[in-house]
Every structure is written in C-alpha cells, then in structure tokens.
Amino acid sequence: MSNVVVVGSQWGDEGKGKIVDWLSDQADIVVRFQGGHNAGHTLVIDGRTFKLNLLPSGVVREGKISVIGNGVVIDPWALSEEIVRTGLDIGPHNLMIAENSPLILPLHQELDALREAARGDQAIGTTKRGIGPAYEDKIARRAIRICDLANRDWLDNRLENLLRYHNGLRRGRDWPAVSSERLKESLLEVAEWLLPMAQPIWRVLHEADRQGKNILFEGAQGLMLDVDHGTYPYVTSSNTIASTAITGSGFPKSGYILGLTKAYTTRVGAGPFPTEDHGEIAAYLSEHGAEFGTVTQRRRRCGWFDAVLVRQAIQTSGIQGIALTKIDVLDDLPELNICVGYRIHGQGYDYLPAAPYLQNDVEPIYETLPGWQSTTAGARHWDDIPENARRYMIRIEELVDCPISIVSTSPKREDTIVLQAPFDQD
C-alpha cells in the first residue's frame, strides 16, 4: 500500500489535472476530498481534452475507482451534466460518492450571486456556484446530505429546517420564497441516479487499504485559498491544506504529500498578490501560459515566482516534494525574478502576515536570474533541460526548502520528468 496527496501550493491553477492523471496510472483509487464544482482540472489525453470540475481525474482511466469524499459539496445537477459531457462510461461501477456529502442546491447559487452583487467593489470573486453558502449550511447543521434523499419523511424534516432559515433570510431581502414541494420533487429525481453511487467512503478506503491498494488524494484550489491559512477573506470556503484529505474522506493514512507548483505565480479573482505584474511580463505569461480559468474563463492575474508564499504553503501543509509545472512558459525570457522576501512598512518579512492591511502593502524583494532562451517544452529527461533552467529550478528548491520531485514540460501526459517518484516515497 502506498498513498499520495496532491495539493496546490499557490492560489490554484498549478496544473493538478495533468499530474493527478499521470499519478493515477499507479493508483487503484483516486479520491477528491474538498471543494466543489468551483474547481477545474484540465486533462489532455491522446489529443482529447477533458475539463473536470467535480469528477476525480481517475475517471479518464479504465479500471480505476474514483471517489468523491464527504469534504466535497456536491451540486448533483452539475455533476450529472459533467458526467454526460465527458462521454465516458461513469456509474456505480467506477464512481463512489460519500453518503454524508452535503448538496449544493439552487438556493445556494442564488444566494452566492446576490451576495457578490451586493458587495460591489468589495466582491470576493467567487464563482457564484453556491459553494460558500453550502458550506455555511453544513457547519450550521441544516444541510441536505445525499443520505437524506433515501427517506421521504426524513427529507421533509430536513427541508423544513433548511427553508425555515433560507426563506426567512429571503423575506427579509424581498426575495421570493423557495417552494419546499418543488425542491423536494427535484431532489427525488436526483436521488434515482445519485443514491446507487452513495457509499460509506471511509469503509471503502479502509478496505482498500487492508487489501494493499494505492490511494491518490486529489485536492482542489490551492493552499493560499485555504479558509484558515490563505489570504482571508479572499479565499475559498473549505480547507485546502493536505490534512483535509483525512477529514474529507474519513481515512487517516494520507501518505506522501506532493505540492503542485507553477514556475511563476497566478491568481484568479480579488485579493493580495505580492508579485503581480501589470505590464509586459503579465501579458507574456498570460499569452504563453494560456492563463484563463478552467471554470470561469476569467483571465488570471500573473506575476513572478513567489518563493516566500510557496515556502509558507509547504510548511503549513507538510509538503515533502513539489511538482513544478509550466517551466516551458518561461523559455523565451532573457531574465527572471524570484521573490525571496517581503518588505512591509519598511520592515522585512520572510512570510505573509495574516492581516489583510499588511498583505495589501507588501513590497516584494527580488533576486534576478538569467533566462535560458531555449526550449524546455516536451523535455522528458533532466539532461534535456538547459543549464540556466536547471539553475532556476535548483534555486527554487533552495528557497522553498523542498525538493522538486516532478517537472512538467507541457500539458501532455508523457512530457514529464520524474526525479523522485511519489508513490515510492510513502
């Protein structure tokens, strides 16, 4: 048995889809353990592109079991559409969903969108897909969970409790009330295809462990979007750090922790971004890196590699190795900057403080390295990497105090250099 947890070490969009797909070849089970359909993973396989939101990346491989854990909030209508969109044979034989997973309902999406509109220029930049309000209901113990759909009388009870809150909130803002009967009817239709996939996932994973199976845990978003450890309040509504693999699945043996790390930095939505560029470099990275959100298609904000931020993510999540992605995007640049420290109000910092009023005033301290201006794209061996590109990566290792385990040199599955195989490290 060997287990690997994959998390993003920045603000997401680090290329987890390809790496998780590549690792899933060695896994028996792939588990998604937090977030919702606000995440987006893009896989390119045999010339075919898959854009996944809720589905674990293991669904594209035959013979693999994919699992959605209890830490995920699930929009069943979005999940149904995604299954159809893949064109793959997906059902109870290869997809299991935690029976205690909370559901995202239409009322959550409406509330999310209305709140974002009301915030005006203080908007957080959510995807308006109901993720935050669904997690709110989970914590407030009024969520509808998949297991509630199996008993009509119990579902009535849960809907009454849920709508007592939501309709009271909506009346106070002159919004139309939600019909309990119509919502129940929609949920019972969902139950017909959703319940056959519902399982006690903690038991499934414990049995797989007993049989010596390899388990791959797939995170969404990035560590700096963690609701506790990220750039609050400009964060997602779940914990994105690696330890969430345990609480989000009910399985206590997470194993080797791999941090997905882009060779530069990007961010979608509002919030602090110390190394953000607003000129030619941002335009270059956006164009050459195709930096548009998988879910929202919003242009990502772009900037230099922030070693301070990544080192902080590594320390809070216990990352043991990083998978460096998109090194090929930097091929044409004559020189590159790496952020090695911060200056805030004249004081030096080697970490990003939690207080937003300090985060907003960060002045990055840069170290400049020569570029390589030759190609790394498609390289599959360390010796194929230009010397200055190797020096750039070695300097990253030194600054973040963590070894590079994998280098990705293109979106293609086979364009991958393995320096330290994650499944062999558990």
Side-chain angles (χ1 to χ4, degrees):
M1 181 276 296
S2 183
N3 301 329
V4 174
V5 178
V6 176
V7 291
S9 69
Q10 294 153 310
W11 279 293
D13 307 311
E14 299 96 349
K16 287 185 291 295
K18 170 198 166 169
I19 298 298
V20 170
D21 168 62
W22 183 84
L23 287 169
S24 69
D25 185 47
Q26 304 163 59
D28 300 293
I29 299 177
V30 182
V31 183
R32 171 79 184 278
F33 59 84
Q34 53 77 217
H37 65 310
N38 55 339
H41 294 167
T42 301
L43 314 180
V44 180
I45 300 164
D46 296 329
R48 185 177 176 188
T49 299
F50 295 91
K51 293 183 182 294
L52 305 181
N53 301 128
L54 274 169
L55 291 171
S57 298
V59 297
V60 302
R61 287 187 178 270
E62 289 188 25
K64 307 294 180 180
I65 298 297
S66 290
V67 168
I68 300 177
N70 57 275
V72 180
V73 285
I74 298 172
D75 180 329
W77 299 277
L79 177 60
S80 176
E81 291 174 2
E82 185 176 339
I83 289 173
V84 171
R85 190 170 66 244
T86 66
L88 301 171
D89 179 21
I90 298 173
H93 63 288
N94 61 358
L95 177 63
M96 301 180 185
I97 305 173
E99 61 183 0
N100 52 337
S101 294
L103 297 179
I104 300 174
L105 306 176
L107 59 85
H108 293 129
Q109 294 182 333
E110 292 172 15
L111 181 58
D112 196 358
L114 288 165
R115 281 177 172 171
E116 275 291 271
R119 292 186 182 110
D121 60 4
Q122 298 297 313
I124 292 170
T126 77
T127 58
K128 303 182 182 68
R129 297 195 170 194
I131 311 300
Y135 275 116
E136 287 178 39
D137 282 346
K138 172 184 176 178
I139 299 303
R141 293 163 289 195
R142 56 177 173 258
I144 306 296
R145 303 189 299 173
I146 290 177
C147 55
D148 296 329
L149 305 182
N151 184 293
R152 288 177 177 241
D153 292 336
W154 177 248
L155 181 58
D156 284 334
N157 176 280
R158 297 304 300 157
L159 284 171
E160 180 182 359
N161 182 59
L162 177 74
L163 294 182
R164 185 182 300 118
Y165 170 79
H166 278 277
N167 280 338
L169 176 66
R170 295 168 75 94
R171 280 193 298 271
R173 301 191 180 190
D174 294 324
W175 300 339
V178 175
S179 166
S180 177
E181 285 304 312
R182 282 201 294 270
L183 182 54
K184 180 182 178 181
E185 181 179 341
S186 296
L187 287 171
L188 290 175
E189 291 175 359
V190 162
E192 293 182 9
W193 63 267
L194 191 58
L195 285 174
M197 291 185 282
Q199 297 285 341
I201 291 304
W202 62 272
R203 287 194 65 188
V204 170
L205 297 180
H206 277 264
E207 179 59 23
D209 175 62
R210 191 185 67 79
Q211 296 175 9
K213 305 283 189 182
N214 289 347
I215 305 174
L216 177 61
F217 294 89
E218 174 184 11
Q221 289 92 33
L223 298 184
M224 298 314 295
L225 289 175
D226 185 280
V227 70
D228 286 302
H229 301 285
T231 48
Y232 188 92
Y234 299 98
V235 293
T236 193
S237 298
S238 62
N239 288 108
T240 60
I241 60 174
S243 58
T244 311
I246 296 173
T247 56
S249 67
F251 181 74
K253 302 177 184 179
S254 57
Y256 182 82
I257 302 172
L258 180 69
L260 267 290
T261 307
K262 193 178 287 186
Y264 48 97
T265 311
T266 63
R267 175 167 199 169
V268 170
F273 186 169
T275 64
E276 182 175 12
D277 185 86
H278 298 280
E280 293 181 2
I281 291 301
Y284 171 92
L285 295 173
S286 179
E287 179 184 353
H288 288 75
E291 294 298 350
F292 296 89
T294 301
V295 173
T296 64
Q297 288 303 303
R298 288 181 291 185
R299 182 183 291 273
R300 295 173 185 143
R301 299 156 63 190
C302 298
W304 296 115
F305 186 85
D306 190 336
V308 179
L309 202 75
V310 173
R311 182 173 63 243
Q312 186 166 326
I314 286 168
Q315 292 176 355
T316 56
S317 214
I319 291 172
Q320 295 159 280
I322 62 177
L324 194 70
T325 64
K326 291 200 167 184
I327 188 71
D328 54 297
V329 174
L330 306 178
D331 281 351
D332 295 334
L333 294 174
E335 60 181 26
L336 304 100
N337 288 334
I338 296 179
C339 178
V340 298
Y342 298 148
R343 190 175 292 109
I344 306 174
H345 302 158
Q347 180 179 341
Y349 283 80
D350 62 358
Y351 68 99
L352 186 65
Y357 52 83
L358 294 178
Q359 294 176 353
N360 292 331
D361 293 337
V362 168
E363 177 188 347
I365 301 170
Y366 287 118
E367 178 179 304
T368 301
L369 282 73
W372 43 94
Q373 294 187 288
S374 55
T375 186
T376 62
R380 300 180 186 180
H381 305 280
W382 182 251
D383 290 341
D384 296 334
I385 299 292
E387 182 178 357
N388 280 352
R390 293 200 299 266
R391 288 178 178 174
Y392 180 77
M393 289 188 275
I394 290 169
R395 186 58 178 144
I396 285 175
E397 288 183 315
E398 293 170 347
L399 290 168
V400 303
D401 194 24
C402 187
I404 294 175
S405 298
I406 296 172
V407 180
S408 172
T409 59
S410 93
K412 295 179 180 178
R413 181 189 286 174
E414 58 270 20
D415 292 341
T416 306
I417 301 171
V418 182
L419 303 174
Q420 187 182 56
F423 272 110
D424 295 338
Q425 304 303 313
D426 191 25

